[in-house]
Amino acid sequence: MAKTKINQDTEGQILNAAEKVFQKKGMDGARMQEIADEADINKAMLHYYYRSKQLLFEAVFANAFSLLAPQLNKIINDDSSVEEKIKNFTNNHISFIAKHPYLPNFIIQELNRNPKFFEQIQKNAGFPSLEKFKTQVAAEVEKGILKPIAGEQLFINIISLNIFPFVATPLIKGFLKLDDKGFKKLMEQRKTEVSEFIINSIKK
Amino acid sequence: MAKTKINQDTEGQILNAAEKVFQKKGMDGARMQEIADEADINKAMLHYYYRSKQLLFEAVFANAFSLLAPQLNKIINDDSSVEEKIKNFTNNHISFIAKHPYLPNFIIQELNRNPKFFEQIQKNAGFPSLEKFKTQVAAEVEKGILKPIAGEQLFINIISLNIFPFVATPLIKGFLKLDDKGFKKLMEQRKTEVSEFIINSIKK
DNA sequence: ATCTTTGTTAACCAAATGGTTAAACCATAA
DNA sequence: TTATGGTTTAACCATTTGGTTAACAAAGAT
C-alpha cells in the first residue's frame, strides 16, 4: 500500500513477474491479470510498457534464452580439453538449474510451440556454432585421446544427460518413487557421476 | 458432406482428433472448436461424449501414457541382461518415436503442468516399480559384469540419452544447424551409437 | 405406423481475456 | 504557482471460448 506514483523500475517489476508466470504456465497458460497481480500493479501497465502479451512474452523468452546460451557456450567455445569441458559443464549445470528450475522446460516447451523463436534469437546475438567443438573432438580422436565419436553425437549426449532429468522431473520422480529430497540427492550425485559416465565411455 | 446421421464411431473420431490437437498444442493451447473441426464434427458432440475439455484431455493423456509406459517397462521388467535391455530399448525407441513424434514432449509438458496426473495413472494400471531393475544391476555389478553404478542413475541415463533429443528437437536442430533430413539422419545413427555409448561406459 | 431412445445440429449464453480509454496523479521545470 | 509530460488507475470493450439448449433426425422397439 502507500504506493508512490513514481516510476521506480516498474518495467523491471513487470518483467520479473512475467518471467515467473510465463515460465511456470507457458505462453498459453499465462494470464495478463495474473502477471499484473504478481507484480502488484495495474493490468494496463503491462500494455503501457510492453504493448501486448506477445511482446512481453518475447522479452521474457529472450531473457531466459540469454541465460541458457552461455552455459552451452562453455562446451562449444571454451579452450579447455574435451574432458575438462565435460567435467565443468556437468558440475556447474546442477547448481545453475537450482537457481532457475523452470528454465529448461520453459525454453524447450516454447521452442516446440514456435520453432521460429530460434531464428529470431540467432540473429540478435552473434550465435555460437558447433564447428569448433566438432574439430576439437575430431582432433582428440585423431590423437588417440578419445575413442571414435562424432562431435554432434557427443554434444547431444552431454546435454541430454545433464538437462533431461530437469525437464522430465515429474516423470522421473514418479517412476523412481522419489520425493523432493530424494530427487535432489540423486541430482547431487550426478554432478560427478554423469561426467564420469561420459568420460568412461569415450576415453581411450 | 452427405454425412449420414448414423453413429459410426464418432467417439473414436473425436479421440483421434483430440489426440492430434492436444499433443500439438497442449491443454491450454488447444481449442474445442479446433478439435471439432479436425474431427469434422459439431462442437456439441465433444461435450455429448466427453462432458468437458478436462475430461477429454484426461482421456487423451491416459491413452498417450499407456503407449509410453510399456516402452519403459521393457527396461524395468524384461528378463534379458542389462546389456540386451539397453540395446533393445535404444534400437526400438527411435522407430517408436517416428510414429508418435509429439508424444514425449506432450507427456512431459503436461506432467509438469500438473504432476498429480501421475498419481491418478499410477492407480489405474498395476504400475511398474524399478526394484527389479535395481537388483538386476546390483547383481551384475556384484558378478563383475558391470562397473559400479546405481540402478537409478543408469535408468536415468538410458532414458535421457534416448528421449531428450526428441523432446528438445528444435533446440538441437538450432544449435547443430540441421534441417529435418539432417536431424533424422543423426537420430538414425543413434539407434546403435547410443547403446554402444552406454555399454562402453558401464561394461567391465 | 408410432413411440422411444440415441445421435446430431445450429443457435445461444455467460464468463474470461487481451486490450483500450479517458481521466486522475504527481514530480518537476518554467 | 502553474503548465507539462510521463505514469497510473478504474472502467470499459470486443472477441474468444467452454459449455448449454432446444429442436430435429435416424433407428430400433412395440
Side-chain angles (χ1 to χ4, degrees):
Chain A
M1 48 202 70
K3 280 210 304 278
T4 55
K5 300 294 168 69
I6 307 165
N7 163 26
Q8 39 172 345
D9 197 24
T10 308
E11 198 170 333
Q13 247 177 282
I14 292 174
L15 202 66
N16 283 343
E19 216 160 275
K20 204 166 170 179
V21 176
F22 274 132
Q23 290 195 16
K24 211 171 189 168
K25 310 220 167 166
M27 169 68 170
D28 292 329
R31 295 289 157 248
M32 292 298 266
Q33 188 58 60
E34 190 179 352
I35 294 171
D37 291 347
E38 178 73 38
D40 196 26
I41 234 171
N42 189 288
K43 182 165 72 83
M45 297 299 281
L46 304 182
H47 292 95
Y48 180 75
Y49 283 99
Y50 304 82
R51 294 174 56 98
S52 67
K53 186 184 184 185
Q54 178 66 21
L55 287 175
L56 177 54
F57 173 81
E58 281 172 23
V60 169
F61 186 82
N63 207 45
F65 203 88
S66 77
L67 288 174
L68 182 74
Q71 292 284 114
L72 296 178
N73 250 331
K74 282 183 199 155
I75 303 181
I76 291 173
N77 279 322
D78 199 278
D79 273 330
S80 48
S81 71
V82 170
E83 182 173 349
E84 282 173 319
K85 281 178 176 181
I86 291 166
K87 277 183 183 161
N88 266 318
F89 178 74
T90 301
N91 187 43
N92 288 335
H93 190 67
I94 321 279
S95 321
F96 172 75
I97 294 289
K99 287 176 209 143
H100 311 274
Y102 291 103
L103 198 139
N105 194 57
F106 172 66
I107 289 178
I108 284 170
Q109 169 55 21
E110 296 301 330
L111 230 39
N112 269 304
R113 209 177 53 86
N114 182 6
K116 284 182 187 171
F117 276 133
F118 210 100
E119 299 164 27
Q120 287 171 22
I121 284 165
Q122 227 163 354
K123 287 172 194 165
N124 276 16
F127 211 72
S129 126
L130 205 66
E131 290 311 316
K132 189 174 172 183
F133 183 72
K134 274 159 71 177
T135 52
Q136 181 184 22
V137 170
E140 294 197 15
V141 168
E142 186 67 25
K143 279 188 208 156
I145 300 171
L146 302 180
K147 292 181 196 166
I149 188 166
E152 293 100 328
Q153 299 288 4
L154 180 55
F155 178 75
I156 295 176
N157 292 350
I158 294 170
I159 66 173
S160 296
L161 287 166
N162 278 291
I163 301 179
F164 185 74
F166 297 102
V167 172
T169 304
L171 194 75
I172 288 174
K173 274 172 147 178
F175 266 99
L176 270 60
K177 288 174 185 158
L178 295 169
D179 56 11
D180 278 358
K181 209 174 166 184
F183 180 77
K184 209 176 165 186
K185 200 172 160 189
L186 219 58
M187 291 305 113
E188 202 57 37
Q189 285 173 13
R190 287 178 77 78
K191 270 195 192 180
T192 55
E193 273 201 37
V194 164
S195 50
E196 279 171 27
F197 183 85
I198 299 172
I199 290 162
N200 249 340
S201 180
I202 61 172
K203 212 175 178 186
K204 236 177 184 170
Chain B
M1 50 203 68
K3 282 212 302 282
T4 53
K5 301 295 167 67
I6 306 164
N7 162 26
Q8 37 173 347
D9 197 25
T10 306
E11 199 170 332
Q13 250 176 280
I14 292 174
L15 202 66
N16 282 343
E19 217 159 276
K20 205 165 169 179
V21 175
F22 274 131
Q23 291 195 14
K24 212 171 190 169
K25 311 222 166 163
M27 169 68 170
D28 292 329
R31 296 290 157 248
M32 293 298 266
Q33 187 59 59
E34 190 180 352
I35 294 172
D37 291 346
E38 178 73 38
D40 197 25
I41 233 170
N42 189 290
K43 182 165 70 84
M45 297 300 282
L46 304 182
H47 293 93
Y48 180 75
Y49 283 100
Y50 304 82
R51 293 175 57 101
S52 67
K53 187 185 184 184
Q54 178 66 22
L55 287 175
L56 177 54
F57 173 81
E58 281 172 22
V60 168
F61 186 81
N63 207 45
F65 203 88
S66 77
L67 286 174
L68 182 74
Q71 292 283 114
L72 297 178
N73 249 331
K74 281 181 198 157
I75 303 181
I76 292 172
N77 280 321
D78 199 279
D79 274 328
S80 47
S81 72
V82 170
E83 182 173 348
E84 280 173 322
K85 280 179 175 180
I86 292 166
K87 278 185 183 163
N88 265 319
F89 178 74
T90 301
N91 187 43
N92 287 336
H93 190 68
I94 322 277
S95 322
F96 172 74
I97 294 290
K99 287 176 208 145
H100 311 275
Y102 292 103
L103 199 139
N105 195 58
F106 172 67
I107 288 178
I108 284 169
Q109 168 57 18
E110 297 302 330
L111 229 40
N112 269 304
R113 210 178 52 88
N114 181 6
K116 284 183 186 168
F117 275 134
F118 210 101
E119 300 164 26
Q120 287 171 22
I121 283 166
Q122 227 163 355
K123 286 172 190 162
N124 276 17
F127 210 70
S129 130
L130 205 68
E131 289 311 316
K132 188 174 172 184
F133 183 72
K134 275 160 67 177
T135 52
Q136 181 185 20
V137 170
E140 294 197 13
V141 168
E142 185 68 26
K143 279 187 209 158
I145 300 172
L146 302 180
K147 292 180 195 165
I149 188 167
E152 293 100 329
Q153 299 287 5
L154 181 54
F155 178 74
I156 294 176
N157 292 351
I158 294 170
I159 66 173
S160 296
L161 288 165
N162 278 292
I163 301 179
F164 185 74
F166 296 103
V167 172
T169 305
L171 193 75
I172 289 174
K173 273 170 145 179
F175 267 98
L176 271 59
K177 289 174 184 160
L178 296 170
D179 56 10
D180 278 359
K181 210 174 165 183
F183 180 78
K184 209 176 165 187
K185 201 172 160 187
L186 219 58
M187 291 305 113
E188 201 57 37
Q189 284 174 14
R190 288 179 76 80
K191 270 194 189 180
T192 55
E193 274 200 37
V194 165
S195 50
E196 279 170 27
F197 184 86
I198 300 171
I199 290 162
N200 250 341
S201 180
I202 60 173
K203 211 175 178 187
K204 237 181 185 166

